[in-house]
Amino acid sequence: MSRKPELRGRAARLARLLPGTASPGQAARAPFVLLVVLLLGGGLIGLLVLNSALSEGSFKLTDLQKDTKSLTDEQQALQRDIDAYSAPDALVRRARELGMVPGGDPAFLDPDGTVKGVPSAAPDADPVTYHMPLVLAPEVIDSTAVPTPTASPTPTETVVPAPEDVVPTPETVPSDVPLPTTTTPGR
Amino acid sequence: MTEVSDDFGRQPPRRRVPGPARPERSARPVGRSRPGPGARPARRPSAPRAAAPKTIRLGSPRPRLRLVGLALTLVLAAFVVRLLQVQAVDASTYAAKAEQNRYVGYTLAAERGGITDRSGVALATSEDAYDITADPTLFTRKQLKIDDGPEQAAALLAPILGQDQETILGKLRPKDKKLRYVLLAHRQTPQVWKQIKDLKSALATKSATDPGTANVLGGVLSVPTTKRVYPNGDLAAGILGWVNADGKGGGGVEQQLNSLLAGKDGKVRYAQSGGRQVPTVGSTETPAVPGSDVELTIDRDIQWAAQQAITDQVKESKADRGYVIVQDTRTGEVLAMANSPGFDPNDLSKARSVNMGNAALQDAYEPGSTAKVMSMAAVLEQGVATPLTHVIVPNRLHRGDRLFKDDIDHETWYLTLNGVLAKSSNIGTILATGQLGKSQAQANQVLYSYLRKFGLGRYSGLDFPGETPGILAKPADWSTSQQYTIPFGQGVSLNAMQAASVYSTIANGGVRVEPTLVRGTKGPDGRFTPAAKPKETRVVSARTAKTLARMLESVVDDQEGTGTKARIPGYRVAGKTGTANRVDPATGKYKGYTSSFAGFAPADQPRITVYCAIQNATSGSYFGGQICGPVYKKVMEFALKTLQVPPTGAKAAKLPVSYTP
């Protein structure tokens, strides 16, 4: 029986903490609750922002990696073209097409007009290999660039509607596709 | 008391459980009749209890509470024990297990360094590529709902991959129905894969809208890989070698400098969750160290000219093979080293394995008369003769167990020593080298020491894989005939590089500079490290070398010389022909000829050495001066023009070849 007042005292203290019960500490509670709400809300929003920032970063990374990849591919393809053009074999062939011939015995002309070595006239160009200009650098570059865009629409337009037509259509594809391999010299 | 204790026993849980619906303490009867959300079921009020709170005795709650408490304690204790076990006792094991799944790692492939010529033109580079593969089970009727899926796919792929439709069809309809992987094409360019990809996606969108069509390319896949590209095809293929399927150098410089070219693979390890990197967990990354670029001493243009010339001549002569070496006489740098037939390292499937080495370094053969220059060097250096010393050359000479003769039958020749070299007389050479010592054994010893100094019987210093040092026996082991044949280049064997180096030594004033093939390396930091300076050794005096150069001029210049086909108008050209009996590697017996020509220009101020050899010419002439002379001329002219070496304009030496007795 003697515990009852103590009990009451504890309960009273408890009751003071509970909302709804009028007590003198009520005024100070609002900022605390606000703080907690703010912290929670802030944390949530922070997480959201962080997550989206991360996602954005990873999207950007993927995009940039894709760009790098395609640019590397392009650079390597262009380098291949350059190499094909500058290969000695290709140069010789194109020079011959222009009617050039290999020089004879070496001779040097000094600034003062003296000639070192024994100069001789160049032999006539071989009429068989001598065609009019076949220097088609721009066309060849075009043909290497073209297949990628054209190859995909051409077959899909024609192939897909009628599967029986598949066999003839590839004949249209090769006319586009192997061009780079045949016209690019020196490979 | 029961009432109180009941009440008391009920109170603590009530106080511990927070809840908005907590009833006022004063209204206890209400709270009792209305159990709150957190209230214990034990508190369930019962009608009799409410009716007679004082009289009904309830079962004592204490044991019940104790039981629950005990159970809770046990459960918690189990948790704690398990926690301790997981976190403390077996922590490392579990951490390791977790890490296995949490962390993913992969290697970052190091980019293989390139190989360039002396002016930086790429001879070998690495490119991204794709292996085009397919899963044949995705082309079946079950998957595509059509029967001719493989046929359609093959028809689409054939032009892109440049293969027959039948070949692709065979791969897409394998005999083994369960096969899930076939390789359609090896190492295709990214552009090829892009074409297929575009086609594939176009077909996919089409089949999505139109149920009548099937995406026949759905089963075509790709595996990214890299490919080694040799932009100049078979140019310098023997030097460069190739890269095998594992990405390691399989021959040539690719093999010799593999560790340098390969670089070091890197490693990435990061924590992942659902396949994506967890950003807050640190990842370890060891970046790949790309391989160094190697710069060769080769000049691409000269290499091309050399390769072109030797290939044409080998074809024309229907020969087994041929080599041309161009060397800078002053630095020992190899400007070109061409083999014919060669191979295209871009497509090894078409290469014949016998052609895949660098024959100029790997073939040992008897040089023949081109080796006479070493005998002459010994004779001149020892001071036993001068270029004008008279030599009477009979038609036949009996030495040891054999009767020696010259390449043509002749009346007794009255030649100078210069003439012996110009007309390439075997007998004259035997007579001259016989003077090297008081006895033949002594002469052999002296000759041997010179041959060694010229680099015979030892590795050239290139450190090239598969290189042969040639065969030069010790003079004590020379057979009776060998001691008379070695002076004119039979019974001793060397490789083309060694032969070229002999002439470069004479051209360089008697100082032998070890040949080099690698000019330097460019590390990943872009810094160029020049190769170590080659070793230099004096073989003969500058005076002897000069005299020899003038004698070699007579070979080309003199009307009676054997190398007139190598003349370059305006230039003083030194050279020596060679036509040797060739040991057939298949039988080990003499069969056919080794034709060769070696020389340098300009003779009075040498810059370039060119050496040419053709093995077993079967069509037309087999004389070195006839078939290798023109090759020499072509290559030398090209090299002189490329390096812009003007003629010196000095008068030719015109040493006398013969004398009238």
Side-chain angles (χ1 to χ4, degrees):
Chain A
M1 283 297 153
S2 62
R3 275 173 209 155
K4 279 221 164 167
E6 198 198 337
L7 192 87
R8 234 176 242 136
R10 216 193 273 170
R13 255 185 284 135
L14 259 174
R16 238 182 282 145
L17 283 174
L18 293 171
T21 26
S23 89
Q26 197 182 17
R29 213 180 300 146
F32 176 71
V33 170
L34 202 69
L35 179 73
V36 169
V37 167
L38 273 179
L39 277 177
L40 280 173
L44 270 176
I45 290 169
L47 265 175
L48 200 72
V49 168
L50 193 71
N51 261 333
S52 44
L54 282 172
S55 304
E56 201 202 338
S58 92
F59 285 141
K60 215 184 245 172
L61 185 71
T62 316
D63 281 354
L64 288 174
Q65 276 171 344
K66 223 182 212 168
D67 280 0
T68 314
K69 184 94 195 47
S70 71
L71 286 175
T72 311
D73 288 353
E74 199 184 331
Q75 187 244 328
Q76 287 178 347
L78 290 173
Q79 187 63 49
R80 250 198 316 275
D81 286 351
I82 293 174
D83 288 339
Y85 282 121
S86 59
D89 278 327
L91 287 178
V92 166
R93 193 163 56 237
R94 292 229 301 285
R96 280 193 198 281
E97 279 166 3
L98 289 173
M100 293 177 166
V101 287
D105 306 324
F108 290 79
L109 183 64
D110 273 355
D112 58 357
T114 54
V115 174
K116 283 182 168 177
V118 181
S120 56
D124 285 336
D126 184 357
V128 180
T129 51
Y130 174 39
H131 319 290
M132 259 327 273
L134 246 174
V135 193
L136 26 77
E139 286 105 305
V140 176
I141 284 169
D142 274 346
S143 72
T144 48
V146 160
T148 331
T150 53
S152 53
T154 331
T156 43
E157 300 305 309
T158 47
V159 168
V160 180
E164 310 88 76
D165 288 346
V166 165
V167 188
T169 37
E171 259 75 66
T172 62
V173 182
S175 64
D176 280 340
V177 179
L179 253 175
T181 45
T182 48
T183 45
T184 316
R187 240 182 273 173
Chain B
M1 195 60 207
T2 47
E3 168 71 63
V4 170
S5 67
D6 188 19
D7 212 353
F8 198 14
R10 228 183 285 150
Q11 279 304 332
R14 219 204 237 185
R15 266 182 295 176
R16 267 176 213 143
V17 176
R22 170 60 57 87
E24 252 337 278
R25 218 187 131 76
S26 50
R28 201 191 295 160
V30 180
R32 214 190 257 174
S33 63
R34 200 167 40 122
R40 280 162 59 166
R43 209 165 46 90
R44 194 193 309 122
S46 50
R49 210 176 158 194
K54 295 241 162 131
T55 50
I56 298 256
R57 291 185 77 84
L58 297 169
S60 165
R62 195 174 285 253
R64 214 189 300 165
L65 281 168
R66 283 204 181 131
L67 206 67
V68 169
L70 188 72
L72 277 177
T73 315
L74 279 178
V75 169
L76 279 176
F79 284 178
V80 167
V81 168
R82 181 73 178 144
L83 183 77
L84 274 175
Q85 190 205 349
V86 169
Q87 288 289 320
V89 183
D90 295 339
S92 52
T93 338
Y94 284 103
K97 258 190 196 170
E99 234 147 82
Q100 263 182 8
N101 296 319
R102 190 149 42 108
Y103 288 97
V104 287
Y106 56 90
T107 48
L108 297 167
E111 199 186 330
R112 195 175 171 87
I115 302 177
T116 67
D117 83 338
R118 61 186 300 122
S119 51
V121 178
L123 297 176
T125 55
S126 284
E127 274 183 11
D128 294 339
Y130 290 93
D131 284 346
I132 311 291
T133 67
D135 180 351
T137 59
L138 296 179
F139 292 89
T140 51
R141 180 173 173 73
K142 222 169 99 193
Q143 287 286 337
L144 295 176
K145 315 275 186 285
I146 49 167
D147 279 326
D148 59 344
E151 281 79 7
Q152 286 190 31
L156 287 172
L157 289 175
I160 300 177
L161 297 180
Q163 296 180 5
D164 283 342
Q165 284 190 29
E166 283 71 43
T167 322
I168 299 179
L169 192 60
K171 286 172 181 167
L172 293 179
R173 272 196 201 281
K175 288 200 181 78
D176 179 8
K177 292 281 177 236
K178 280 184 191 155
L179 195 67
R180 298 212 59 183
Y181 174 91
V182 288
L183 185 67
L184 293 181
H186 213 51
R187 313 223 153 140
Q188 296 297 308
T189 60
Q191 284 72 26
V192 168
W193 172 236
K194 196 166 175 299
Q195 281 186 34
I196 298 176
K197 217 164 51 179
D198 289 348
L199 253 176
K200 200 170 146 181
S201 57
L203 277 174
T205 44
K206 193 85 188 166
S207 65
T209 52
D210 179 7
T213 59
N215 184 4
V216 288
L217 292 183
V220 181
L221 310 162
S222 76
V223 181
T225 171
T226 58
K227 105 173 154 176
R228 196 70 167 160
V229 178
Y230 302 87
N232 297 298
D234 63 353
L235 191 76
I239 304 165
L240 297 172
W242 66 94
V243 171
N244 63 22
D246 302 334
K248 288 204 184 86
V253 172
E254 296 268 26
Q255 184 186 1
Q256 184 189 349
L257 301 175
N258 185 53
S259 54
L260 202 69
L261 285 164
K264 236 183 187 168
D265 282 351
K267 229 190 206 167
V268 165
R269 227 170 84 89
Y270 60 83
Q272 59 100 26
S273 160
R276 291 181 65 175
Q277 185 177 358
V278 179
T280 46
V281 185
S283 62
T284 53
E285 182 178 341
T286 322
V289 183
S292 304
D293 288 341
V294 172
E295 191 178 308
L296 299 181
T297 59
I298 298 297
D299 183 293
R300 182 184 66 170
D301 296 341
I302 299 178
Q303 174 77 26
W304 175 81
Q307 201 152 321
Q308 201 72 9
I310 192 67
T311 307
D312 289 350
Q313 191 60 54
V314 164
K315 209 177 283 169
E316 197 188 314
S317 300
K318 296 204 171 70
D320 283 6
R321 58 174 70 251
Y323 343 93
V324 171
I325 288 180
V326 183
Q327 196 182 7
D328 186 318
T329 57
R330 296 176 184 172
T331 58
E333 290 177 340
V334 179
L335 298 173
M337 186 186 282
N339 296 297
S340 177
F343 66 100
D344 185 355
N346 288 315
D347 188 6
L348 292 180
S349 59
K350 292 202 186 95
R352 291 187 54 207
S353 61
V354 281
N355 297 336
M356 276 172 72
N358 188 359
L361 287 168
Q362 291 165 351
D363 281 7
Y365 57 90
E366 301 192 10
S369 306
T370 41
K372 280 179 189 151
V373 74
M374 290 183 281
S375 310
M376 291 301 163
V379 168
L380 292 174
E381 183 74 4
Q382 291 294 308
V384 295
T386 69
L388 303 178
T389 304
H390 293 180
V391 184
I392 300 166
V393 182
N395 179 261
R396 289 283 186 278
L397 180 73
H398 188 263
R399 280 285 186 278
D401 52 356
R402 283 174 64 179
L403 206 55
F404 290 96
K405 56 175 184 157
D406 288 329
D407 56 346
I408 43 170
D409 264 329
H410 57 81
E411 295 292 303
T412 301
W413 275 341
Y414 297 96
L415 300 176
T416 59
L417 190 67
N418 177 50
V420 168
L421 193 66
K423 297 184 77 128
S424 197
S425 163
N426 296 339
I427 295 169
T429 312
I430 295 169
L431 291 171
T433 49
Q435 307 295 313
L436 282 172
K438 286 199 179 72
S439 65
Q440 185 62 38
Q442 255 179 338
N444 293 349
Q445 188 62 51
V446 173
L447 183 63
Y448 174 81
S449 73
Y450 277 96
L451 295 181
R452 284 291 287 182
K453 279 197 268 183
F454 271 113
L456 265 66
R458 70 174 86 193
Y459 291 102
S460 66
L462 290 178
D463 215 9
F464 200 85
E467 185 190 343
T468 172
I471 304 163
L472 175 63
K474 291 235 157 53
D477 302 331
W478 288 4
S479 71
T480 320
S481 58
Q482 237 178 338
Q483 48 189 331
Y484 304 110
T485 58
I486 285 177
F488 61 83
Q490 301 275 183
V492 57
S493 66
L494 43 66
N495 64 34
M497 185 67 246
Q498 287 170 321
S501 182
V502 167
Y503 282 82
S504 293
T505 304
I506 294 157
N508 194 34
V511 176
R512 179 176 189 269
V513 186
E514 261 189 4
T516 47
L517 203 50
V518 177
R519 204 148 177 254
T521 55
K522 197 153 74 183
D525 53 354
R527 198 172 298 164
F528 182 79
T529 321
K533 235 177 130 51
K535 253 193 281 175
E536 292 187 10
T537 44
R538 179 159 286 285
V539 180
V540 290
S541 68
R543 200 165 148 259
T544 306
K546 191 119 202 139
T547 314
L548 268 172
R550 293 169 67 191
M551 286 168 73
L552 286 170
E553 257 184 273
S554 308
V555 177
V556 180
D557 204 36
D558 197 280
Q559 223 33 266
E560 290 181 66
T562 51
T564 47
K565 288 236 172 195
R567 273 186 208 164
I568 301 173
Y571 283 85
R572 289 174 66 180
V573 176
K576 179 76 193 81
T577 59
T579 310
N581 287 312
R582 171 175 178 267
V583 178
D584 189 345
T587 59
K589 295 212 165 72
Y590 281 116
K591 182 173 177 283
Y593 298 91
T594 299
S595 325
S596 58
F597 195 98
F600 48 85
D604 44 344
Q605 244 178 50
R607 286 289 309 278
I608 303 154
T609 300
V610 174
Y611 177 81
C612 158
I614 290 175
Q615 300 281 10
N616 198 20
T618 54
S619 164
S621 170
Y622 57 81
F623 286 107
Q626 298 301 310
I627 60 173
C628 272
V631 173
Y632 171 90
K633 181 182 148 113
K634 262 189 228 168
V635 177
M636 182 60 93
E637 280 188 345
F638 195 94
L640 288 171
K641 280 189 264 191
T642 306
L643 301 181
Q644 302 185 355
V645 182
T648 51
K651 282 264 179 301
K654 296 239 184 280
L655 291 176
V657 168
S658 53
Y659 71 96
T660 35

